[in-house]
Amino acid sequence: MSFQLKDRVSIASRINAYEPYTARLPGFVVEGRLIRMVGLTLEAEGCNVPIGGHCIIRSPDIKDIEAEVVGFSGSKLFLMPLEPVSGLQPGARVIPLQQIASVPVGDQLLGRVLDGRGLPLDGKGAFDMNETVPLARDPINPLHRKPINEPLDVGIRAINTLLTVGQGQRMGLFAGSGVGKSVLLGMMTKYTTADITVVGLIGERGREVKEFIEHILGDEGLKRSVVVASPADDSPLMRLHGAALATSIAEYYRDQGKNVLLLMDSLTRYAQAQREIALAIGEPPATKGYPPSVFAKLPALVERAGNGVEGGGSITAFYTVLTEGDDVQDPVADSARAILDGHIVLSRRLAEEGQYPAIDIEASISRVMPNIVDNNHMQSGQVFKRLYSRYQQSRDLISVGAYVPGSDPETDLSIQKIDGLKAFLRQPLNKRVGFDEGLKELGVLFS
């Protein structure tokens, strides 16, 4: 399979399908004019369009450009283009579109790769689907959601046994660059028992998008997956739309009663895209350059995942969070940790030691694990963590020979078990370890 990220369908063929706002709608003017461009933001006057509304910017000698209203000041609209604006001129026509931010959905999406607009990127032809879903929807009443009471098998031994994930749980995957986030996501995509997997690749390098799909995900993983790719060279608005689109597709399958695994890489790039937009329209920065709207957008996106109403499906979500310089106190990481149901930390030190997946068991936690596993499983996991942590605390003394055997029974036991503990945490890329198999291996470790 091969495709070009820039091999995209022009919007020119779609423009005629949209009817402009007409004078029959009170307060709306058919056309406006582009008066200014500052940085990423276009300013227009003469047309009243609500926040989130779309416009076509038409200028001689260039193709029509689609833009979205992201703010206003008096009669002035702030527009953010969805594509490059090279060749745009002052006074260009701004034509409002009677367009609802929605995308077509259906079973044809399985095995396909889409861009942030929902258009195909894989060269397999256009879609023929009649059903649509909005990019944004009202949240589910939290009292109507079914509780998280069943585990989800993701095929990773360390996660299944020590950080058990429940159907409908939202987890964060925290790591610096190059520690193995994308590979771990690819393994979960191939090995999970979820009915459908939706992958959102937001703000990643274009090379990594193709490598993830062809080498990490592979044909087998792609068959029951939908991939939404909005790489780093997309406009910030397209990156936001890509994350919203992946979530909307997952919601569609959840509403059909499916158990969906949503993998989004990365939540940090989503926050950075919102920061670019907010700063461009004049919102003041707050924490490390992030405006307040960023920290309002994150929970609005994350809360859309989770279980549906009683009798419905579920969305189990993993959001990767890039900790710059391995700083887990980054403002986005700190905010994500507070709104998610647990976090898995990947350690650069462990990766450099050759442990894969490089999960730092001491720093990771699943907040719903006590509710979805039995007492024996929970106790075995706690003993594992305690022994592993005790060895790490005494590691320097042990390595230089300063620890005297017999000084502490638990430390002695951790020294005896450490090779088995480390082997338990390792898993080859091409091997799946199911929930029951991993639990059995955990029991043998302490038998």
Side-chain angles (χ1 to χ4, degrees):
M1 177 183 64
S2 179
F3 61 89
Q4 297 294 325
L5 286 173
K6 291 302 181 185
D7 183 20
R8 294 179 175 155
V9 179
S10 170
I11 65 166
S13 61
R14 301 192 298 144
I15 293 173
N16 292 333
Y18 300 134
E19 292 295 333
Y21 290 116
T22 65
R24 288 178 296 175
L25 297 174
F28 282 83
V29 178
V30 172
E31 257 185 47
R33 294 289 172 180
L34 193 64
I35 60 172
R36 190 182 180 197
M37 177 176 179
V38 181
L40 301 173
T41 311
L42 307 176
E43 298 180 8
E45 284 187 341
C47 55
N48 296 328
V49 185
I51 295 291
H54 283 228
C55 301
I56 287 297
I57 301 174
R58 186 165 291 170
S59 187
D61 303 325
I62 66 169
K63 69 174 184 177
D64 292 340
I65 297 170
E66 189 174 357
E68 182 176 310
V69 179
V70 294
F72 59 86
S73 177
S75 61
K76 186 188 303 180
L77 295 180
F78 299 132
L79 308 174
M80 188 67 63
L82 274 74
E83 52 198 321
V85 293
S86 178
L88 199 59
Q89 300 176 0
R93 298 166 60 195
V94 179
I95 306 173
L97 300 177
Q98 195 172 7
Q99 176 188 5
I100 300 173
S102 61
V103 290
V105 289
D107 290 338
Q108 293 181 32
L109 292 177
L110 292 176
R112 301 299 300 271
V113 184
L114 322 175
D115 68 2
R117 285 199 193 102
L119 302 177
L121 275 176
D122 50 15
K124 295 181 179 179
F127 301 114
D128 183 18
M129 299 176 291
N130 297 323
E131 194 170 357
T132 62
V133 294
L135 283 181
R137 58 183 287 180
D138 295 334
I140 299 175
N141 186 324
L143 298 181
H144 295 167
R145 289 182 185 265
K146 66 179 180 181
I148 300 174
N149 50 25
E150 295 181 36
L152 176 70
D153 187 349
V154 295
I156 310 297
R157 177 170 48 218
I159 297 177
N160 282 343
T161 56
L162 305 176
L163 303 166
T164 309
V165 176
Q167 291 182 8
Q169 186 174 358
R170 296 158 300 192
M171 292 283 284
L173 193 58
F174 292 71
S177 57
V179 185
K181 299 186 303 298
S182 297
V183 178
L184 184 57
L185 293 181
M187 290 177 68
M188 286 193 284
T189 302
K190 290 186 288 187
Y191 301 149
T192 182
T193 57
D195 300 320
I196 291 172
T197 304
V198 179
V199 182
L201 302 175
I202 311 301
E204 296 299 312
R205 292 183 287 271
R207 175 187 61 81
E208 289 184 334
V209 172
K210 185 170 183 177
E211 285 184 359
F212 179 88
I213 294 169
E214 295 188 352
H215 301 301
I216 299 176
L217 189 58
D219 292 336
E220 190 64 31
L222 188 59
K223 285 181 181 178
R224 58 192 183 107
S225 302
V226 182
V227 179
V228 179
S230 184
D233 60 337
D234 272 352
S235 70
L237 194 60
M238 279 285 283
R239 280 174 265 151
L240 290 185
H241 281 192
L245 173 59
T247 306
S248 293
I249 293 173
E251 289 173 326
Y252 166 74
Y253 287 114
R254 179 185 64 189
D255 293 343
Q256 291 187 330
K258 305 288 188 182
N259 291 322
V260 183
L261 179 63
L262 171 63
L263 307 175
M264 191 167 295
D265 186 14
S266 71
L267 196 63
T268 302
R269 304 301 188 198
Y270 175 83
Q272 290 173 346
Q274 174 60 24
R275 176 175 64 179
E276 291 178 41
I277 294 174
L279 294 177
I281 63 177
E283 186 179 351
T287 307
K288 289 191 177 181
Y290 287 97
S293 63
V294 171
F295 304 105
K297 282 275 189 179
L298 290 178
L301 178 72
V302 169
E303 285 294 329
R304 292 174 61 183
N307 280 335
V309 297
E310 289 285 353
S314 67
I315 300 175
T316 307
F318 283 82
Y319 299 92
T320 68
V321 180
L322 182 62
T323 53
E324 299 177 3
D326 298 323
D327 176 18
V328 295
Q329 301 304 321
D330 175 83
V332 174
D334 201 39
S335 176
R337 191 183 298 106
I339 61 178
L340 295 170
D341 303 322
H343 52 272
I344 298 171
V345 178
L346 300 186
S347 166
R348 189 173 301 278
R349 175 182 62 81
L350 294 176
E352 291 170 349
E353 291 178 358
Q355 176 181 311
Y356 186 82
I359 297 175
D360 186 345
I361 290 297
E362 295 178 280
S364 305
I365 189 172
S366 171
R367 294 178 181 172
V368 305
M369 181 177 175
N371 301 329
I372 58 176
V373 300
D374 58 38
N375 290 334
N376 290 336
H377 183 172
M378 193 69 197
Q379 289 173 5
S380 297
Q382 289 172 342
V383 171
F384 186 106
K385 283 190 171 186
R386 190 168 66 247
L387 291 180
Y388 186 85
S389 180
R390 180 58 63 91
Y391 180 85
Q392 297 300 329
Q393 291 169 11
S394 307
R395 181 177 179 177
D396 292 339
L397 292 176
I398 297 169
S399 62
V400 299
Y403 175 75
V404 179
S407 301
D408 179 69
E410 194 163 272
T411 302
D412 293 339
L413 182 58
S414 70
I415 294 173
Q416 295 174 19
K417 294 288 188 181
I418 190 60
D419 290 339
L421 300 181
K422 289 183 177 179
F424 186 86
L425 294 175
R426 297 191 188 102
Q427 184 172 330
L429 303 181
N430 58 355
K431 181 181 179 182
R432 180 188 187 277
V433 180
F435 188 88
D436 293 335
E437 181 184 354
L439 193 57
K440 183 178 178 180
E441 292 178 5
L442 181 64
V444 170
L445 188 62
F446 295 114
S447 61

